[in-house]
Amino acid sequence: MNIRAIIAMGILPWVWVQGNSQHATAQPVVPDNLKPPGPASLVLKSPAKGIQIYRCLESSTNSNGDSTGFAWTLRTPQADLFDDKGKHIGLHFTGPTWKANDDSTVVGQVQAKTDAPNATAIPWLLLSAKTHAGIGIFSKVTSIQRLETVGGKAPSTGCDASKVNTEIQVPYRATYYFYGEGNQP
């Protein structure tokens, strides 16, 4: 029996892919709108831990130009990326950008989002690669998923005229799945 048949039968839930000394698992089960366009192969699965930084900004004005509301608005994420053994392998920051320790980077653009199962967690996302730099693990990434989120959501209160331009940091965790075309890592 080949490995694909074993996986299809659910006997072996994880497939390990070797690529640039990083390991990735089989593609996660997600809603259709979060599936990467195919054909796509999982290049890297990376747990992340960090913060979402929000700034209090005026969110709307009336026809007279007077403020009618304020909201916490995402300014930037800051997170550390890890491999499946807990080794630090890179960073996630403004762009949104992911930078590996090998100096390769990928900048993503949101294509789809779905509310996380936990109401206090930031949404799950599908992003397409907008730009790349370097020749390492992120150089051929075509799609990125942000899944399994915990925390990170902006508070629904506390942003008003007295707090404009104030920043808050909200801790979060997520797992990022990086995909490339075909079978290339």
Side-chain angles (χ1 to χ4, degrees):
M1 182 176 289
N2 70 32
I3 192 77
R4 290 181 193 266
I6 292 170
I7 294 166
M9 292 172 38
I11 297 170
L12 182 62
W14 301 103
V15 177
W16 297 100
V17 179
Q18 185 72 33
N20 290 358
S21 77
Q22 306 301 326
H23 292 89
T25 62
Q27 293 184 12
V29 176
V30 295
D32 286 344
N33 69 321
L34 296 183
K35 291 180 179 176
S41 294
L42 188 59
V43 174
L44 175 67
K45 173 186 173 186
S46 179
K49 183 177 180 182
I51 56 175
Q52 298 279 316
I53 301 173
Y54 295 93
R55 181 176 284 156
C56 179
L57 297 174
E58 187 175 339
S59 62
S60 58
T61 56
N62 62 22
S63 60
N64 295 328
D66 298 323
S67 177
T68 59
F70 299 88
W72 293 107
T73 304
L74 181 64
R75 188 176 73 74
T76 187
Q78 290 181 357
D80 291 306
L81 304 175
F82 302 92
D83 68 9
D84 60 323
K85 294 183 175 100
K87 178 183 171 192
H88 185 268
I89 60 167
L91 300 170
H92 173 45
F93 51 91
T94 303
T97 303
W98 292 265
K99 181 176 183 178
N101 290 347
D102 65 13
D103 284 332
S104 64
T105 63
V106 61
V107 176
Q109 182 172 347
V110 175
Q111 299 300 305
K113 73 166 77 173
T114 296
D115 287 340
N118 182 330
T120 64
I122 52 178
W124 290 9
L125 302 175
L126 173 66
L127 302 100
S128 62
K130 189 166 61 170
T131 62
H132 299 88
I135 56 171
I137 188 111
F138 290 149
S139 65
K140 295 186 181 183
V141 167
T142 56
S143 298
I144 304 141
Q145 291 170 321
R146 179 179 75 188
L147 305 174
E148 303 157 13
T149 55
V150 175
K153 203 168 192 179
S156 58
T157 61
C159 178
D160 57 37
S162 69
K163 298 276 194 312
V164 170
N165 291 322
T166 300
E167 291 187 352
I168 60 168
Q169 299 178 359
V170 181
Y172 89 103
R173 290 190 322 258
T175 303
Y176 291 98
Y177 293 81
F178 299 90
Y179 297 88
E181 293 180 8
N183 293 322
Q184 62 191 358

